Amino acid sequence: MSLTNKVKNSLNWLIGGAQGSGVDSAANIFSRACAEGGLQVFGKREYYSNIKGEHSYFTVRISEREIRSHVDEINMLVSFDAETLLRHAGSVVKGGGIVYDSELADVKIGEVPTLDDAFRDRLVGLLEKVGKPLTVQGVLDYASDNDVSLFSIPYFQLLEEFSTKIEDHSLSKLSRMVNVMSLSSSMALLGFPFETLGSAIRYIFRSKPKIADLNVMAANYAYEYTKTHHDASGLAFSLTTKKPLPDVILVQGNQSSALGKLTAGCKFQTYYPITPASDDSEFLEANEIVPQGEGKDGSILVLQTEDEIAAITMAIGGALTGARSATATSGPGFSLMTEALGWAGMNEVPIVVSLYQRTGPATGLPTRHEQGDLLFATKAGHGEFPRIVFASGDIEESYYDTIKVFNFAEKFQMPVIHMLDKAIANSITTCKIFDQQRILIDRGLLMENVSDISPDLGHASHYRRFKLIRDNKNNNNGEANYLISPRVLLGTENGIFWNTGDEHTEEGHITEDPEIRTAMMDKRMDKLRIAIEQIGDEDKATLYGIDEPDSLTVISWGSTKGAILDAMDRLIDEGKKIRFVQFRLLNPFPIERVRTLIGDHKQLVDIEMNYSSQLALLISENIGISMDHLIVKYNGRPISSSEVYNALVRIILGEAPRRIVLKHGA
Amino acid sequence: MALKLSDYKTEVHNDWCPGCGDFGILNAIQMALSEMGIQKHRAVIFSGIGCSGKTPHFINTYGIHTLHGRVLPFSQGAKLCNPELEVMAVGGDGDGLGIGAGHFVSAGRRNVDMLYIIFNNGVYGLTKGQASPTLKLGLKTKSLPLPNSNNSVNPLALAAVSGFTFIARGYSYDVRHLKDLIKQGIAHKGLAYLDVLQPCPTYNDINTREWYQGSDNLDSETGKQIPRTYKLEGAGYDGIVHLEDEADSKMSNAILKSYEWGKKIPIGTFYQNEMVPTYEERIASKIPDYVKDPPSSQRVSLTDGRPNSDISRLLDILRVSN
């Protein structure tokens, strides 16, 4: 195949290997190189709950136009161990290529101890069906039959030669660079310029210049070897560079919300280690000194607690002093936080919980993805109290949303659960540099000073922290609405108040009076009405696509957004009418906005990464509309745009059952 | 204007049982605050759940009545975000040593500069007299159907091995002595633990006020009651670490002393070591401006609402081109 016939700058690249062998570094270098080369990047990481030895892999999709999701088809598979070939060679599509270690061809399936029985049985079944040997060579033959080019690289020989060349004979040390060498071989085959690759290697190893030098040299050695010894003419894909657009960043989903916290002025974050939420806190701790205006330094205090109960309760303590406070966790930790969440609701304390969902229940698949906590987040805790549940759909959005959720917490004086997930946390994307001025800070009714004759002082001249203030409009009961009472911070003169988890008076003292109880419940719950009034339509739910009365309407929330948008673009290119409603505010439920967006539409399709179609249940509960189709996935692997596309095509063709369960994933 | 004892009292009706040991502790706290002249709005009393949990409502300072077992993390969070506050945590023995025991141990490891008082009466009062973690093995207080089958935890020893740097015990009917211990605990640089023997007149019919006063412990010659409690400072005991290399031996002495129980029960200061860096000092070693500009006092936004933080440096690292 001549270069001119190749698909240029559009491919799906995968590298795999044992955990601890440098898969992430290699993928980060690849992503960085492509981004520096002016290309768009979307990558995602998959890994076991294990430190070393189990299989992990990273797919990176490259394009010249905006991409927001991964796809199932692999165009270039890069490996340096047997398991990666056994697990992924079958997913490489026609015209693709496989880079592998020459010495591995004879490895038998039974010799790879980390292959679990279930996968091994499926692979053996496949190879027996197509009449291939039960070895690495068998899967390579299978791929080759499918017009996939095979590129065998003698890594060990290259390392020996390289070791002699640089006069460094510690082969075991040098062998740790096999990840970068395999990546470099793939770049040589794709025609990507080495200079840009070298720059990306130096970027990733920027804190260790000597290691960077060594890796660049080793990469170059593999690059030249591959160019000399292999003919890439059968490969249908190529990568070239162009001038990158200004103001593009390459950012990971475990950095974006943390960056948003720094901009939002979060000054205190507590956490207990849990995948996939810990990265958020660790990023903040690594960047605890935060430059402020006028050349001054500010800071964020990050504290690892003894458990998640301490994490949320410490954050609440911090919030009472006025520090914008947050905690980051995943499902198991959030379960432990629920009692304190209710305390924050009861005492109207603004806190943010970043809930990075993973597969549940219990420990579930601890390093895998799911959107199983939506209903839990909207209802978590005993009794009734107001909270905001707000979901981000992608990495870029999560930065801006994080600033918004701190505003929500303080304006409405309640806990906010910011829904994120493993798919966002462990993906990487190019996007426009974050605009630090786009979202303004709004701290709500915050009293910095209280006069000793303030009308907010009540019984015994104590500050009425929970002052019952009513406006002149009536609520559903035909009674006047309550407004939000101004908040003072611990330490404020003339502001002394009390908090208690018990029902309380305006000053915050315990009461069991039935009339105060009713008024205080009304006051707290009325804030949900205020939130609905004040939160903008676009933050409630966002509409994309072709908005016509007979369009197919896809609804979803959270990180499925990218896969849906990419699949929708493809369907629109094919002439289909399709629109997508991305739900953002999930509690309080934006009833009117949702009625406007989907009330008159036929053909409603709900897509979610959980078993029960939890958003569809919320819609049904709130406005009584049920979905025509439910597309669900709960095998722990994020939904791909390939899957969304295929499922929607089936629905459009009238060939789909009401509920479609997606199952792709490795 | 000088602050009087009455300034620290609230008008809230106190519904503790008549004769409850908690009253002595409440008075001692109010006296300590008053004598130390701590401004009302600068003090915050955090509490857990139970009878002792109501304490903040009776004290005219900021009062945060939290969740069962969680008083330490709530209060540490506030203190670390605003180190200017005078933070005190109070709670029961079930609250702090049962459901909250994990936080007790972890708080010791941090050594945040604050005082934690446990109202120790051996029973869960507000839930009608179940055995608490400090009730001795085999005792059957009046509302227990059978004798207690758990061994008791020694809170002073636990505080010592967890890393509390001030460890003392008071007795709720010796209010002046207790007040002095509270003042010492507040003044102490680091995390102070104060265990208060506090008879529950309703549910603990064994460790009663009379028992502490020696009603069953008569001098064979005079026939007079010999009180069980005695003051360490009057018995030649010195628990204060003056030199770094005596920390271990002083702690060993304190632990040994804390096991003295029965006819003689020591009260007073068991251990104090101000040479251990506080958590605030540990933070300040990483965040130099922490003391001057703690989390609570940093401005979040400019007057027009734009964020005050500038993350350009971090964003520049992520840029794909310059």
Side-chain angles (χ1 to χ4, degrees):
Chain A
M1 196 176 291
S2 75
L3 199 59
T4 48
N5 293 335
K6 293 195 183 208
V7 177
K8 198 176 89 178
N9 294 344
S10 174
L11 84 150
N12 191 30
W13 181 93
L14 185 153
I15 190 165
Q19 270 166 221
S21 65
V23 171
D24 286 0
S25 304
N28 284 327
I29 293 166
F30 178 78
S31 303
R32 178 78 196 179
C34 292
E36 285 187 17
L39 303 172
Q40 304 288 313
V41 172
F42 181 89
K44 78 164 182 98
R45 187 156 82 90
E46 287 291 339
Y47 50 100
Y48 275 81
S49 177
N50 154 266
I51 296 175
K52 281 189 179 174
E54 293 282 358
H55 176 67
S56 71
Y57 70 96
F58 209 129
T59 58
V60 186
R61 198 174 156 209
I62 302 297
S63 175
E64 288 192 12
R65 44 184 253 186
E66 186 184 17
I67 37 170
R68 298 155 286 208
S69 64
H70 71 283
V71 291
D72 296 336
E73 304 79 16
I74 300 165
N75 306 120
M76 178 59 100
L77 172 61
V78 183
S79 68
F80 45 90
D81 73 341
E83 183 166 0
T84 301
L85 295 163
L86 296 175
R87 286 191 182 268
H88 302 286
S91 302
V92 184
V93 295
K94 189 173 173 176
I98 299 177
V99 173
Y100 67 100
D101 185 345
S102 317
E103 292 185 12
L104 296 176
D106 296 331
V107 173
K108 298 185 182 72
I109 291 175
E111 290 172 351
V112 180
T114 44
L115 273 188
D116 45 293
D117 293 346
F119 178 78
R120 192 169 56 229
D121 291 349
R122 287 199 299 274
L123 181 63
V124 167
L126 171 75
L127 292 176
E128 282 175 348
K129 200 172 119 193
V130 297
K132 301 290 181 197
L134 303 180
T135 59
V136 165
Q137 191 60 53
V139 300
L140 291 172
D141 288 351
Y142 174 73
S144 182
D145 288 355
N146 194 27
D147 284 339
V148 171
S149 301
L150 305 180
F151 303 103
S152 155
I153 310 285
Y155 293 119
F156 189 70
Q157 179 200 323
L158 291 189
L159 278 166
E160 280 186 322
E161 291 168 13
F162 181 66
S163 150
T164 310
K165 187 182 162 199
I166 63 163
E167 295 179 352
D168 181 338
H169 301 290
S170 48
L171 264 182
S172 67
K173 182 187 82 183
L174 297 178
S175 69
R176 287 167 59 189
M177 296 190 298
V178 70
N179 60 337
V180 173
M181 293 168 74
S182 63
L183 145 72
S184 187
S185 288
S186 77
M187 288 302 223
L189 295 164
L190 291 165
F192 189 89
F194 185 80
E195 193 192 349
T196 312
L197 175 61
S199 161
I201 294 172
R202 290 188 192 283
Y203 174 87
I204 297 296
F205 293 114
R206 61 191 178 280
S207 60
K208 304 167 194 160
K210 279 190 182 158
I211 292 183
D213 286 343
L214 203 57
N215 273 276
V216 171
M217 282 193 285
N220 191 45
Y221 199 78
Y223 190 92
E224 292 303 326
Y225 171 90
T226 309
K227 251 177 53 180
T228 313
H229 292 80
H230 281 292
D231 169 14
S233 62
L235 190 62
F237 300 89
S238 72
L239 282 179
T240 56
T241 58
K242 50 184 210 164
K243 193 171 161 30
L245 293 172
D247 291 339
V248 171
I249 55 172
L250 179 65
V251 57
Q252 298 175 29
N254 52 24
Q255 300 171 324
S256 48
S257 181
L259 287 164
K261 284 175 180 167
L262 296 179
T263 302
C266 175
K267 300 296 175 192
F268 187 43
Q269 169 138 324
T270 55
Y271 79 107
Y272 184 77
I274 190 167
T275 304
S278 306
D279 294 336
D280 179 303
S281 304
E282 284 162 23
F283 181 87
L284 291 173
E285 189 165 9
N287 297 288
E288 64 187 357
I289 307 290
V290 191
Q292 309 284 298
E294 297 139 25
K296 235 183 100 191
D297 272 344
S299 60
I300 176 167
L301 175 59
V302 180
L303 205 141
Q304 180 184 329
T305 56
E306 56 270 30
D307 55 35
E308 285 91 348
I309 296 171
I312 189 168
T313 50
M314 268 201 203
I316 294 170
L320 289 170
T321 72
R324 283 193 151 189
S325 301
T327 181
T329 190
S330 188
F334 186 61
S335 292
L336 292 181
M337 291 181 179
T338 54
E339 188 190 15
L341 195 72
W343 194 96
M346 181 66 143
N347 289 287
E348 310 195 34
V349 183
I351 50 154
V352 169
V353 181
S354 306
L355 176 50
Y356 286 89
Q357 299 163 93
R358 70 186 208 193
T359 321
T363 315
L365 308 179
T367 60
R368 309 290 181 176
H369 171 58
E370 196 165 87
Q371 297 179 303
D373 299 340
L374 172 58
L375 291 179
F376 180 46
T378 59
K379 319 273 194 237
H382 58 281
E384 297 161 294
F385 61 91
R387 93 282 305 273
I388 286 182
V389 179
F390 196 68
S392 291
D394 58 38
I395 289 175
E396 187 176 6
E397 211 167 80
S398 73
Y399 169 76
Y400 298 104
D401 287 355
T402 301
I403 309 166
K404 290 176 190 173
V405 295
F406 280 92
N407 286 346
F408 294 161
E410 290 200 314
K411 277 171 74 175
F412 309 122
Q413 299 184 11
M414 61 178 74
V416 178
I417 302 152
H418 184 196
M419 304 299 278
L420 297 155
D421 58 42
K422 188 267 174 187
I424 290 179
N426 292 137
S427 53
I428 182 166
T429 191
T430 41
C431 68
K432 194 159 180 359
I433 195 165
F434 300 147
D435 175 2
Q436 299 181 61
Q437 319 276 320
R438 187 187 295 178
I439 312 293
L440 297 181
I441 306 285
D442 184 346
R443 304 204 65 180
L445 294 169
L446 184 58
M447 303 287 287
E448 295 198 18
N449 299 293
V450 180
S451 141
D452 58 3
I453 52 163
S454 163
D456 293 328
L457 301 184
H459 194 57
S461 287
H462 289 135
Y463 186 77
R464 287 188 282 170
R465 167 65 189 93
F466 306 106
K467 188 178 178 185
L468 295 164
I469 315 164
R470 310 183 86 151
D471 69 7
N472 49 14
K473 286 185 231 143
N474 282 0
N475 62 18
N476 289 341
N477 315 334
E479 294 167 4
N481 288 319
Y482 284 102
L483 300 174
I484 294 171
S485 43
R487 189 164 66 98
V488 298
L489 307 176
L490 296 183
T492 308
E493 198 165 1
N494 301 316
I496 287 175
F497 65 80
W498 288 264
N499 277 174
T500 170
D502 290 49
E503 191 54 271
H504 43 254
T505 62
E506 290 183 301
E507 292 81 8
H509 286 308
I510 298 169
T511 182
E512 297 189 16
D513 181 83
E515 287 189 16
I516 297 179
R517 161 66 178 178
T518 305
M520 284 293 169
M521 278 296 284
D522 289 344
K523 168 201 196 300
R524 288 190 294 270
M525 299 307 274
D526 248 10
K527 294 190 295 180
L528 292 175
R529 171 191 55 76
I530 297 169
I532 284 286
E533 283 169 9
Q534 295 190 4
I535 293 175
D537 276 351
E538 291 301 305
D539 286 336
K540 288 173 178 160
T542 311
L543 177 67
Y544 299 89
I546 296 179
D547 186 21
E548 289 186 15
D550 57 345
S551 292
L552 178 85
T553 298
V554 173
I555 64 154
S556 191
W557 65 283
S559 65
T560 53
K561 174 188 175 187
I564 293 169
L565 288 177
D566 282 350
M568 185 171 76
D569 280 358
R570 221 174 129 188
L571 288 163
I572 289 172
D573 283 349
E574 293 168 9
K576 305 286 191 298
K577 282 194 217 165
I578 180 161
R579 59 203 284 281
F580 166 45
V581 180
Q582 181 204 355
F583 282 64
R584 315 242 302 124
L585 179 66
L586 296 155
N587 197 77
F589 195 81
I591 292 176
E592 290 311 317
R593 172 73 173 158
V594 175
R595 278 215 181 99
T596 306
L597 288 174
I598 69 170
D600 295 330
H601 280 264
K602 310 284 177 244
Q603 278 215 295
L604 299 175
V605 181
D606 173 58
I607 300 181
E608 293 183 65
M609 286 286 310
N610 56 52
Y611 178 91
S612 318
S613 302
Q614 298 186 12
L615 174 61
L617 292 173
L618 266 187
I619 293 171
S620 170
E621 173 187 319
N622 281 284
I623 59 174
I625 289 177
S626 64
M627 299 293 122
D628 299 291
H629 288 280
L630 304 170
I631 300 175
V632 290
K633 186 173 182 183
Y634 41 85
N635 69 355
R637 276 58 172 184
I639 203 165
S640 67
S641 57
S642 325
E643 288 179 297
V644 174
Y645 173 84
N646 292 333
L648 291 177
V649 166
R650 286 175 69 194
I651 289 170
I652 291 166
L653 293 175
E655 293 171 356
R658 176 160 187 268
R659 181 168 181 265
I660 303 174
V661 182
L662 303 177
K663 296 180 178 175
H664 194 276
Chain B
M1 190 171 65
L3 289 157
K4 304 183 297 292
L5 180 60
S6 60
D7 291 328
Y8 294 90
K9 297 180 186 289
T10 65
E11 72 294 350
V12 175
H13 166 69
N14 192 320
D15 60 0
W16 287 333
C17 302
C20 178
D22 286 355
F23 287 105
I25 306 174
L26 174 61
N27 288 337
I29 293 172
Q30 290 163 332
M31 287 162 69
L33 291 170
S34 160
E35 288 185 15
M36 294 178 87
I38 294 170
Q39 288 172 294
K40 294 179 293 177
H41 69 273
R42 278 194 51 243
V44 192
I45 317 281
F46 286 81
S47 66
I49 292 295
C51 295
S52 58
K54 296 178 181 177
T55 305
H57 296 283
F58 309 131
I59 302 176
N60 189 14
T61 65
Y62 281 97
I64 310 294
H65 180 191
T66 71
L67 290 167
H68 196 32
R70 314 305 169 200
V71 64
L72 281 175
F74 271 99
S75 51
Q76 289 171 92
K79 177 70 183 180
L80 291 177
C81 284
N82 185 355
E84 288 288 299
L85 295 173
E86 198 56 69
V87 171
M88 187 187 302
V90 302
D93 42 315
D95 190 88
L97 301 164
I99 187 169
H103 305 308
F104 187 95
V105 172
S106 297
R109 293 169 51 215
R110 290 191 193 97
N111 197 33
V112 173
D113 186 11
M114 53 178 265
L115 168 64
Y116 179 35
I117 305 176
I118 282 188
F119 299 18
N120 183 355
N121 60 16
V123 293
Y124 284 82
L126 203 51
T127 51
K128 316 256 182 261
Q130 297 84 355
S132 92
T134 54
L135 189 67
K136 303 288 180 196
L137 175 66
L139 293 190
K140 184 187 168 310
T141 49
K142 70 183 185 191
S143 60
L144 292 183
L146 292 167
N148 179 23
S149 50
N150 287 304
N151 219 327
S152 59
V153 68
N154 178 336
L156 299 161
L158 183 63
V161 298
S162 299
F164 284 72
T165 48
F166 174 92
I167 299 164
R169 181 196 274 149
Y171 175 51
S172 65
Y173 288 105
D174 190 341
V175 176
R176 294 205 167 272
H177 180 250
L178 179 59
K179 175 258 299 176
D180 287 339
L181 290 175
I182 293 171
K183 285 168 72 176
Q184 288 174 44
I186 291 173
H188 170 72
K189 180 177 82 76
L191 182 60
Y193 174 64
L194 176 56
D195 189 63
V196 184
L197 301 172
Q198 173 256 314
C200 172
T202 305
Y203 291 110
N204 191 334
D205 54 345
I206 296 171
N207 310 116
T208 60
R209 180 179 189 167
E210 293 69 28
W211 181 84
Y212 280 111
Q213 284 166 352
S215 59
D216 61 340
N217 193 24
L218 305 179
D219 188 309
S220 55
E221 288 179 15
T222 63
K224 281 188 178 168
Q225 295 185 3
I226 307 171
R228 284 187 155 80
T229 58
Y230 75 96
K231 297 187 173 79
L232 285 170
E233 52 270 31
Y237 180 92
D238 176 15
I240 298 171
V241 177
H242 304 283
L243 301 165
E244 252 173 68
D245 62 3
E246 62 183 16
D248 289 352
S249 59
K250 294 264 176 170
M251 184 183 288
S252 304
N253 292 345
I255 292 170
L256 201 61
K257 204 68 182 162
S258 74
Y259 277 94
E260 194 173 311
W261 188 264
K263 295 204 164 184
K264 302 274 278 175
I265 300 174
I267 58 174
T269 304
F270 284 67
Y271 178 76
Q272 184 175 16
N273 182 359
E274 291 193 315
M275 291 172 212
V276 179
T278 63
Y279 203 79
E280 293 89 324
E281 289 169 340
R282 298 175 210 174
I283 296 170
S285 71
K286 295 184 290 180
I287 303 176
D289 289 342
Y290 169 72
V291 177
K292 183 164 62 77
D293 218 1
S296 66
S297 69
Q298 293 181 38
R299 292 211 79 81
V300 172
S301 60
L302 308 171
T303 46
D304 60 4
R306 281 180 299 135
N308 201 21
S309 297
D310 180 2
I311 61 164
S312 302
R313 185 183 58 82
L314 293 172
L315 293 176
D316 284 344
I317 295 172
L318 301 176
R319 271 180 201 271
V320 303
S321 65
N322 295 311

